[in-house]
Structure formats: structure tokens, C-alpha cells
């Protein structure tokens, strides 16, 4: 058992400890008139598991649809990319998706997953090495929205291919999306970017995808408060906030919010933040694109749209943008 005195010292030290990135960003986000926090903080261990469950939900069509596109058009994608490719994945998310790409390509030589979490990366790399013994797997721990250094090119490598599936691009603001594409353009010169983005569609389908009947998306959204309570010592009462997701048609995006169900106060780092009933914390934007809109954005970033694949219902799109 921990003696009471050291427990007290631990708590005091914890209170005095400087806030983490999450703490700082939440503090600033709660201090603004319109309260918000970046969706990047959804993905602690529990949040990542909830996101994996979202991808399996009957209403959440993007994952399934993108995987079908990658499978059905594997030969054409491989044709565009050519042999001996070097695949750079932005965010070491779904090994399932990169496997589809690696299986489609002719003798890919190197796979470089970039992710901010080294822990996640190491395990992912190990599993892939076991299954693709001919592939050099060289993870890079970095924030891929910042300029970064990739392993030197070396002999015998084909095109350098960026892989950015899942419509993660849609979680950026339009300015951030452009900045990311510009960064990718510089990094991938002589090769290209294979990017998957969700398409504008019947709002009812979008609404269902972000308000699933099992409540997994609601749990994913609320987990942000659970994480804050655990990591930052906040006192959010999870029963007093609810999940809200709706399509903002003029801005072509799903917005996710956490809505205060009544007037209440929450404390972070010694500061009290008051909420009125109905006041929200804006937790995510998920932008939806048209095929032409994405291609125009790519051109603005200096990329050349070379091919696009969609499903028959045009729910989702995968673009090959040459650099
Ligand atoms: C990761 N990202 C593309 C997902 C999306 O659809 O915007 C995150 C998500 N949010 C709610 N459901 C899924």
C-alpha cells in the first residue's frame, strides 16, 4: 500500500505539474467563446478501440467502401504506381488498408509508416515484417503535419507513394488540408499521393453514420471527457453531457459536439469553466468532398490529379495525385 503521506505528495506534485499538450489545448479550447478541442485527442487507447468498432458499424460506410475500392481497382492502382514502390503512410492507422495496397503493388520495396505514437508504430511494424519478409519496414515517429525527414532514398526504389486513407484529410480545416497536401507534394516529388476522401451525399446517410444505433460514436465522443478526467483531473460528469452530430450543409461537414445537458461547472487546472444548458464543446469536423473539389484542392497544392476511383453509389473516392 502507498503510505498516505506520499499519496498526498503525489497528488500535490500532480496538481503542480505543467499541463500536457491535451491539457493546454483543452484549457485554451474551453476559454474561447465558441468552445472546441481538436479531434486528435480522441485517440487514447480506449478511443482507438472505439474508433475500430465504428469502422465495423453497419451505418459507418466509409471504411468498408474504401476497402472495396482498393480491392476492386487494385490492378489499375498498381499500374499507376509501378513496381518497387516505397510506400509512406501518414498515420500508422489501419494495417488492413496498407496490406490491401501492398498486396496490389508489384514487389513493393519499402514501407515507412509515420505516426506520432512510437508505441503503436513498433508493434505495427513487427507484424508487417513477419508477413512481408521482402519489405523493408522503417517506421518514423513524427507529427506528419510538420516538415519531417524521411529515410534516404537508396538504390532500386520505384516511385515514392504517400498513402493517406480513411478521409482523415476531412478532419482538417480547409487551410490545414491545403497545407498538408503542399507538404505531401514536397515530400513525394517524382511520385504521388494515394488519398481516400468521403464524398458529399444524402445527409440522411451521413447523419446515420455519425449517430449509430448502438451508440458507439456517442461513446467515442464522450470518451474525450473520460480521458480528460483521467489524465487532467477534470471533473466532467459524463451523464451531464450528450453526443450531437449533424450535417452542416453550407460548410459540407459533419460536426460533432458534446452538449451540456444542464447548467454546470467544470474545473481544469484550478480554473472553473461554467456551462449553460445546451452549450457545446465542438469536438470534430468531418468534411465531405466532391471529386472535382478534391482535385481542385490538389492542383492548388501543386499536385496533378491523375486518376480517381469510386464505388458504384459514389459514397467514397480514392485519388491518385502525382507530384
Ligand atoms: C478518422 N475520421 C476520418 C473519422 C471521420 O469519419 O471523420 C472519425 C470519426 N468520427 C466519428 N466517426 C468517425
Amino acid at each position: 500500500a502507498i503510505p498516505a503521506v506520499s499519496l498526498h505528495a503525489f497528488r500535490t506534485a500532480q496538481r503542480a505539474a505543467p499541463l500536457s499538450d491535451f491539457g493546454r489545448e483543452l484549457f485554451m479550447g474551453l476559454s474561447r467563446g465558441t468552445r472546441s478541442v481538436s479531434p486528435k485527442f480522441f485517440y487514447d487507447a480506449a478511443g482507438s478501440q472505439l474508433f475500430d468498432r465504428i469502422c465495423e458499424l453497419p451505418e459507418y460506410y466509409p471504411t468498408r467502401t474504401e476497402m472495396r475500392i482498393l480491392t476492386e481497382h487494385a490492378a489499375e492502382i498498381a499500374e499507376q504506381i509501378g513496381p518497387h514502390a516505397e510506400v509512406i503512410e501518414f498515420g500508422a492507422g489501419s494495417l488492413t488498408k496498407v496490406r490491401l495496397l501492398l498486396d496490389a503493388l508489384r514487389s513493393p520495396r519499402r514501407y515507412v509508416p509515420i505516426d506520432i505514437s512510437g508505441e503503436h508504430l513498433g508493434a505495427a511494424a513487427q507484424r508487417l515484417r513477419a508477413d512481408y519478409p521482402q519489405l523493408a519496414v522503417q517506421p518514423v515517429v513524427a507529427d506528419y503535419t510538420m516538415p519531417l525527414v524521411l529515410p534516404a532514398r537508396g538504390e532500386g526504389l520505384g516511385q515514392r507513394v504517400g498513402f493517406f486513407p480513411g478521409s482523415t484529410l476531412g478532419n482538417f480545416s480547409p487551410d490545414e488540408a491545403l497545407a498538408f497536401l503542399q507538404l505531401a507534394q514536397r515530400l513525394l516529388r517524382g511520385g504521388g499521393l494515394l488519398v481516400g476522401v468521403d464524398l458529399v451525399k444524402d445527409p440522411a446517410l451521413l447523419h446515420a453514420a455519425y449517430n449509430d444505433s448502438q451508440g458507439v460514436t456517442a461513446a467515442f465522443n464522450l470518451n474525450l471527457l473520460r480521458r480528460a478526467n483521467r489524465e487532467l483531473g477534470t471533473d466532467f460528469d459524463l451523464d451531464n453531457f450528450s453526443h450531437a452530430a449533424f450535417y452542416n450543409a453550407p460548410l459540407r461537414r459533419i460536426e460533432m459536439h458534446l452538449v451540456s445537458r444542464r447548467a454546470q461547472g467544470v474545473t481544469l487546472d484550478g480554473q472553473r469553466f461554467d456551462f449553460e444548458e445546451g452549450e457545446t464543446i465542438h469536438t470534430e469536423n468531418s468534411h465531405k468532398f466532391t471529386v472535382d473539389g478534391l482535385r481542385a484542392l490538389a492542383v492548388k497544392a501543386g499536385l496533378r490529379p491523375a486518376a480517381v476511383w469510386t464505388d458504384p453509389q459514389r459514397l467514397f473516392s480514392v485519388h491518385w495525385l502525382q507530384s
Side-chain angles (χ1 to χ4, degrees):
I2 305 170
V5 61
S6 66
L7 194 61
H8 175 76
F10 173 66
R11 290 222 174 101
T12 311
Q14 241 197 351
R15 250 202 316 276
L19 282 175
S20 59
D21 281 356
F22 178 32
R24 274 197 307 277
E25 289 203 28
L26 184 63
F27 194 100
M28 286 190 305
L30 293 180
S31 306
R32 279 193 281 270
T34 311
R35 292 177 160 163
S36 65
V37 64
S38 164
K40 71 181 175 198
F41 297 113
F42 280 141
Y43 302 93
D44 64 349
S48 302
Q49 274 179 17
L50 285 164
F51 180 65
D52 287 346
R53 282 181 60 199
I54 289 176
C55 293
E56 306 268 308
L57 289 170
E59 297 98 330
Y60 195 75
Y61 60 84
T63 313
R64 254 191 317 281
T65 310
E66 184 177 46
M67 286 177 58
R68 206 172 301 141
I69 295 171
L70 290 172
T71 310
E72 281 175 10
H73 298 281
E76 294 151 65
I77 295 171
E79 183 65 39
Q80 291 282 338
I81 292 174
H84 312 313
E86 176 190 24
V87 177
I88 317 285
E89 184 167 9
F90 299 101
S94 159
L95 283 182
T96 338
K97 284 182 195 164
V98 84
R99 276 166 196 261
L100 290 178
L101 178 62
L102 293 170
D103 292 344
L105 295 178
R106 273 179 289 144
S107 41
R109 285 278 161 85
R110 182 154 75 180
Y111 171 55
V112 182
I114 309 171
D115 200 274
I116 200 126
S117 152
E119 212 177 300
H120 199 112
L121 262 182
Q126 250 345 88
R127 270 172 291 163
L128 215 66
R129 280 189 196 107
D131 293 343
Y132 297 83
Q134 309 300 329
L135 189 73
V137 182
Q138 298 181 7
V140 170
V141 180
D143 176 351
Y144 61 77
T145 62
M146 302 287 180
L148 55 94
V149 180
L150 290 177
R153 283 281 291 166
E155 294 278 293
L157 287 177
Q159 287 201 63
R160 178 175 267 182
V161 179
F163 187 47
F164 198 41
S167 207
T168 302
L169 190 74
N171 294 134
F172 294 155
S173 70
D175 284 351
E176 288 166 346
L178 177 63
F180 171 78
L181 292 175
Q182 285 167 332
L183 197 122
Q185 188 272 331
R186 284 194 294 275
L187 220 54
L188 304 170
R189 218 161 265 161
L193 179 68
L194 192 67
V195 59
V197 296
D198 199 10
L199 295 176
V200 168
K201 60 180 59 64
D202 177 358
L205 283 177
L206 290 171
H207 188 270
Y210 292 83
N211 291 280
D212 66 275
S213 58
Q214 294 172 49
V216 184
T217 310
F220 173 71
N221 199 6
L222 282 158
N223 179 60
L224 193 84
L225 303 184
R226 198 185 298 277
R227 177 180 184 184
N229 285 350
R230 195 185 55 247
E231 291 184 15
L232 310 172
T234 49
D235 52 353
F236 284 106
D237 179 346
L238 268 69
D239 292 332
N240 281 331
F241 284 88
S242 49
H243 164 73
F246 57 87
Y247 187 56
N248 181 333
L251 297 179
R252 290 184 172 163
R253 67 189 194 196
I254 284 282
E255 292 188 14
M256 291 215 312
H257 295 254
L258 289 161
V259 187
S260 178
R261 293 160 73 112
R262 60 180 181 81
Q264 58 184 317
V266 172
T267 304
L268 167 58
D269 199 34
Q271 166 89 36
R272 185 181 153 97
F273 295 93
D274 286 318
F275 286 85
E276 287 169 20
E277 183 182 338
E279 196 173 345
T280 82
I281 308 174
H282 187 170
T283 50
E284 187 178 63
N285 288 320
S286 188
H287 291 88
K288 308 304 165 190
F289 298 84
T290 61
V291 164
D292 288 346
L294 189 282
R295 288 165 75 105
L297 190 67
V299 168
K300 216 168 158 186
L303 292 158
R304 286 186 305 282
V308 58
W309 300 278
T310 66
D311 54 294
Q313 287 175 275
R314 286 179 88 81
L315 296 174
F316 201 90
S317 59
V318 174
H319 299 250
W320 173 237
L321 309 169
Q322 287 175 332
S323 180

